[in-house]
């Protein structure tokens, strides 16, 4: 297991976290509708106590040190009334005289330019997702709530407003712009595409009924905050929304995109993977709102009473070119998390049954591989490199898993049986953060997870050096003229004899090294307690 660092205590249960891409700060969206920003450096310093007479003083001030990490507390959600008429099924089941009251909660937060938790893996990916016109992102902090609101906060002001819990959420000086009814229902997931995407660094939001919307932040900045009727945006998307897809029929669980930002992928609890073409957003003449009709609950497939609208929809199936999206077959299992691996050639998805399902690029209709082994659902996936991911499961454990070849490498840490809801990298990949069903942000030392990346860089440098040396040798041979050709031929004959003599041994050793090279590195990192005990002796 990794070295656990001192956790950060929040004022309420955190539902999500986002680390600043450049600074050692973390933002957490809480269940009470607030966003808390904490300083990680203060947490490191508070964990170092002096000895002797200062020991009792450090114990007495333990609660004060926990509060010292809070840089700001901003209220971003308001109490709302659940709209039962949004979905047909809930409208028929709910009584019209009763309205369900929802408590305010902040479901997701995201720093601008921050690499998404599931797709963060290498320094190259971070460079592609960073804003080339700025120092690396983190200027803004976005938040979404269960009431359907989308807000943008100034990061600098957000780090200096302590206990800014005003009743009017739009009165906070840290909030730059706000769209109250960005969705008609609660927003469950927030994602920002990389800056090299064809449609730019737009925001992607997914709500509780499967609607995916893309937002141009430049247009949202000119949008005035609206406190009107929630039904105002039922017929058309609000200002700032440049594209809308309503093709899923359950809540959106996770987003990710490929390295060039041309495709946005969304997992849904209805068991389908949706792939959206970002180049379609910029096409002229394309529909900006694509909505598939919901399945009629009264339709009997054994009888020919299917609604006419659905019959027409089946005759004219949507295509990648005309509608800008494609979908997988129903996997008969909830897809809860996703991340790209193998240089965006494979997509790994965590499911409710604890199976890692892998899709191949451009073959999204069905899975190509499945890796069972988790005892419960896989709610979060964090990419380490192109071969390895961290998984957060409902059994409370954070595991390191290698894919293709498949291998369970070890356990990073645990949450005492509470489900792991989110994972994230800190700035510089120094720490891994995770949240569960308690009031703490758990931190784990991730320095050993980056050791293999440094080894790979060294190997790349060695390969480059060998290639240069070979090129120099070829150049010398060419300059040697005809007189030196015999010498090179003699050397080649000697090498051929050596290779023939050890051909069998070399082939076996090379195959074993290539096949077991990566697993051996990872196995040395995660040691059992017995191995650690005897290694000390």
């Amino acid at each position: 297991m990794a070295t656990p660092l001192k956790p950060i205590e929040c004022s309420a249960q955190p539902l999500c976290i986002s680390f600043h891409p450049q600074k050692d700060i973390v933002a957490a969206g809480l269940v009470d509708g607030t966003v808390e920003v904490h300083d990680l450096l203060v947490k490191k310093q508070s964990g170092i106590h002096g000895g002797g007479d200062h020991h009792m003083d450090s114990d007495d001030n333990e609660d004060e040190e926990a509060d010292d990490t809070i840089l700001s507390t901003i209220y971003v959600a308001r109490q709302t009334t659940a709209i039962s008429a949004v979905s047909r099924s809930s409208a028929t089941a709910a009584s019209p005289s009763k309205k369900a009251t929802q408590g305010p909660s902040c479901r997701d937060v995201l720093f601008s330019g921050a690499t998404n938790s599931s797709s963060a893996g290498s320094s190259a990916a971070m460079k592609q997702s960073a804003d080339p016109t700025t120092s690396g992102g983190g200027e803004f902090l976005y938040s979404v709530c269960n009431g359907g609101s989308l807000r943008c906060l100034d990061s600098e002001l957000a780090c200096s407003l302590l206990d800014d819990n005003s009743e009017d959420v739009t009165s906070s000086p840290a909030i730059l712009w706000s769209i109250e009814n960005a969705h008609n229902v609660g927003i469950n997931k927030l994602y920002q595409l990389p800056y090299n995407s064809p449609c730019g660094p737009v925001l992607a939001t997914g709500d509780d009924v499967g609607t995916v919307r893309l937002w141009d932040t430049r247009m949202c900045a000119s949008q005035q905050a609206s406190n009107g009727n929630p039904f105002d945006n039922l017929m058309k998307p609000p200002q700032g929304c440049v594209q809308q897809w309503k093709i899923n029929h359950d809540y959106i669980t996770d987003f990710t995109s490929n390295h060039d930002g041309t495709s946005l992928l969304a997992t849904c609890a209805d068991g389908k993977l949706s792939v959206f073409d970002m180049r379609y957003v910029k096409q002229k003449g394309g529909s900006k709102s694509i909505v598939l009709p919901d399945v009629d609950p009264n339709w009997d497939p054994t009888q020919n009473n299917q609604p006419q609208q659905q019959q027409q929809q089946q005759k004219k199936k949507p295509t990648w070119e005309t509608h800008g999206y494609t979908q997988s077959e129903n996997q008969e299992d909830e897809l809860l998390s996703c991340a790209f691996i193998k240089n965006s050639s494979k997509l790994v998805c965590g499911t409710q049954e604890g199976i890692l399902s892998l899709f191949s690029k451009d073959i999204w209709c069905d899975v190509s591989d499945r890796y069972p082994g988790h005892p419960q659902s896989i709610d979060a996936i964090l990419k380490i490199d192109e071969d390895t991911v961290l998984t957060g499961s409902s059994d409370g454990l954070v595991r390191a898993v290698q894919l293709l070849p498949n291998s369970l490498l070890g356990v990073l840490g645990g949450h005492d049986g509470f489900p792991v809801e989110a994972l994230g990298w800190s700035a510089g990949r120094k720490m891994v953060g995770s949240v569960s069903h308690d009031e703490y942000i758990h931190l784990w030392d991730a320095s050993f997870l980056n050791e293999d990346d440094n080894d790979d860089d060294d190997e790349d440098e060695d390969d480059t050096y060998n290639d240069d040396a070979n090129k120099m040798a070829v150049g010398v041979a060419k300059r040697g003229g005809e007189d030196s050709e015999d010498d090179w031929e003699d050397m080649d004959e000697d090498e051929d004899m050596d290779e023939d003599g050890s051909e069998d041994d070399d082939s076996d050793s090379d195959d074993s090294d290539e096949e077991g090279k990566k697993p051996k590195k990872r196995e040395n990192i995660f040691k059992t307690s017995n191995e650690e005990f005897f290694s000390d002796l």
Side-chain angles (χ1 to χ4, degrees):
M1 296 179 65
T3 303
L5 304 177
K6 190 174 182 181
I8 295 177
E9 184 177 2
C10 301
S11 59
Q13 176 186 339
L15 301 179
C16 53
I17 55 173
S18 179
F19 288 91
H20 195 282
Q22 299 295 326
K23 301 179 182 179
D24 289 325
I25 60 177
V26 59
L30 307 185
V31 71
D32 61 357
T34 60
V35 171
E36 283 189 356
V37 182
H38 293 264
D39 191 351
L40 300 177
L41 294 179
V42 175
K43 176 57 62 178
K44 291 180 181 179
Q45 295 176 0
S46 63
I48 303 175
H49 301 295
D53 298 336
H54 299 285
H55 180 69
M56 296 299 296
D57 295 339
S58 62
D59 294 338
D60 295 336
N61 297 331
E62 183 177 357
D63 295 336
E64 296 180 3
E65 291 174 353
D67 295 336
D68 291 340
T69 61
I70 300 179
L71 297 177
S72 65
T73 302
I74 303 173
Y75 190 77
V76 296
R78 62 178 61 186
Q79 189 171 359
T80 59
T81 301
I83 305 173
S84 60
V86 174
S87 60
R88 298 176 183 176
S89 59
S90 61
T92 56
S95 174
S97 60
K98 296 182 181 179
K99 294 183 179 180
T101 302
Q102 296 180 353
S105 63
C106 179
R107 291 187 175 180
D108 204 358
V109 291
L110 179 66
F111 279 104
S112 62
T115 311
N116 184 262
S117 61
S118 61
S119 59
S122 61
S123 58
M126 295 180 181
K127 291 179 181 179
Q128 291 177 353
S129 63
D131 186 358
T133 62
T134 61
S135 58
E139 293 81 10
F140 308 105
L141 176 62
Y142 304 104
S143 66
V144 292
C145 304
N146 63 337
S149 62
L150 171 63
R151 309 190 195 280
C152 175
L153 288 73
D154 188 301
S155 298
E156 294 296 333
L157 294 177
C159 294
S160 59
L161 297 176
L162 187 60
D163 296 333
D164 184 24
N165 294 327
S166 57
E167 295 182 358
D168 187 6
V169 295
T170 60
S171 64
S172 175
I175 298 179
L176 300 179
W177 52 264
S178 176
I179 302 178
E180 288 298 331
N181 301 318
H183 285 254
N184 303 316
V185 294
I187 304 176
N188 192 61
K189 204 64 182 178
L190 176 64
Y191 183 82
Q192 186 177 25
L193 275 83
Y195 282 83
N196 59 346
S197 175
C199 57
V202 298
L203 294 176
T205 55
D207 63 18
D208 291 342
V209 295
T211 303
V212 175
R213 287 179 174 177
L214 301 181
W215 304 87
D216 190 338
T217 56
R218 297 169 298 180
M219 299 174 61
C220 295
S222 60
Q223 166 77 5
Q224 298 295 329
S226 174
N227 298 325
N229 195 324
F231 292 95
D232 292 342
N233 297 324
L234 285 179
M235 300 303 297
K236 62 179 181 179
Q239 181 179 349
C241 179
V242 296
Q243 187 65 47
Q244 170 184 277
W245 286 281
K246 175 62 177 73
I247 59 176
N248 293 97
H249 305 292
D250 211 329
Y251 68 96
I252 301 298
T253 58
D254 201 2
F255 284 116
T256 190
S257 63
N258 54 358
H259 63 279
D260 56 0
T262 56
S263 299
L264 174 68
L265 293 89
T267 53
C268 185
D270 62 1
K272 293 183 179 181
L273 172 69
S274 300
V275 184
F276 306 101
D277 186 6
M278 294 298 99
R279 295 165 293 189
Y280 174 82
V281 180
K282 292 296 183 179
Q283 289 182 1
K284 294 182 179 180
S287 176
K288 298 303 179 184
S289 180
I290 300 175
V291 180
L292 291 183
D294 293 332
V295 178
D296 189 356
N298 298 324
W299 173 55
D300 186 3
T302 61
Q303 300 179 4
N304 191 16
N305 61 347
Q306 188 177 11
Q308 183 178 2
Q309 186 179 10
Q310 295 186 10
Q311 292 179 2
Q312 295 177 356
Q313 189 68 31
Q314 288 184 355
K315 294 180 180 179
K316 185 180 179 181
K317 293 184 178 181
T319 61
W320 182 263
E321 293 78 11
T322 59
H323 294 77
Y325 79 92
T326 185
Q327 265 189 321
S328 70
E329 299 292 337
N330 195 328
Q331 302 301 310
E332 298 181 357
D333 193 4
E334 295 183 8
L335 303 180
L336 304 178
S337 53
C338 61
F340 264 114
I341 59 174
K342 304 294 183 180
N343 297 319
S344 298
S345 64
K346 294 286 185 178
L347 179 76
V348 55
C349 298
T351 65
Q352 180 70 29
E353 298 295 332
I355 299 173
L356 289 173
S357 300
L358 286 90
F359 293 84
S360 298
K361 181 182 178 181
D362 298 332
I363 310 176
W364 307 114
C365 58
D366 202 355
V367 297
S368 59
D369 298 281
R370 302 172 78 236
Y371 181 32
H374 290 73
Q376 298 182 26
S377 63
I378 305 172
D379 300 326
I381 293 180
L382 181 63
K383 179 179 178 180
I384 299 178
D385 54 32
E386 299 300 334
D387 304 310
T388 318
V389 295
L390 291 177
T391 61
S393 180
S394 293
D395 62 352
L397 296 180
V398 180
R399 298 175 173 87
V401 180
Q402 178 179 290
L403 298 170
L404 301 178
N406 301 331
S407 176
L408 178 61
L409 302 179
V411 176
L412 183 72
H415 285 259
D416 297 331
F418 291 104
V420 180
E421 297 292 342
L423 295 170
W425 285 108
S426 67
R429 294 165 57 94
K430 302 175 185 176
M431 293 176 288
V432 172
S434 59
V435 295
S436 184
H437 292 181
D438 53 20
E439 297 182 354
Y440 293 92
I441 301 175
H442 294 260
L443 302 175
W444 316 92
D445 184 11
S447 58
F448 70 99
L449 294 176
N450 301 321
E451 292 179 357
D452 283 354
D453 296 337
N454 297 331
D455 295 340
D456 294 340
D457 295 339
D458 295 339
E459 292 177 359
D460 294 339
E461 293 178 359
D462 294 339
D463 295 339
T464 304
Y465 175 79
N466 294 332
D467 294 339
D468 295 339
N470 293 333
K471 292 179 181 179
M472 292 177 62
V474 172
V476 172
K478 290 182 178 180
R479 291 193 299 269
E482 299 178 355
D483 296 337
S484 60
E485 289 182 358
D486 296 336
D487 296 337
W488 283 102
E489 291 176 357
D490 295 338
M491 294 174 62
D492 293 337
E493 292 177 358
D494 296 339
E495 291 178 357
D496 293 338
M497 294 178 62
D498 295 338
E499 290 177 358
D500 294 337
S502 59
E503 182 177 0
D504 297 335
D505 297 338
D506 293 342
S507 60
D508 296 338
S509 61
D510 292 342
D511 294 339
S512 61
D513 292 340
E514 291 178 358
E515 294 178 357
K517 188 174 183 180
K518 201 68 176 182
K520 288 181 180 179
K521 288 184 178 181
R522 294 298 183 189
E523 290 172 359
N524 293 333
I525 293 178
F526 297 94
K527 296 181 180 180
T528 63
S529 58
N530 292 333
E531 291 176 347
E532 293 179 353
F533 175 77
F534 287 107
S535 63
D536 296 337
L537 296 178

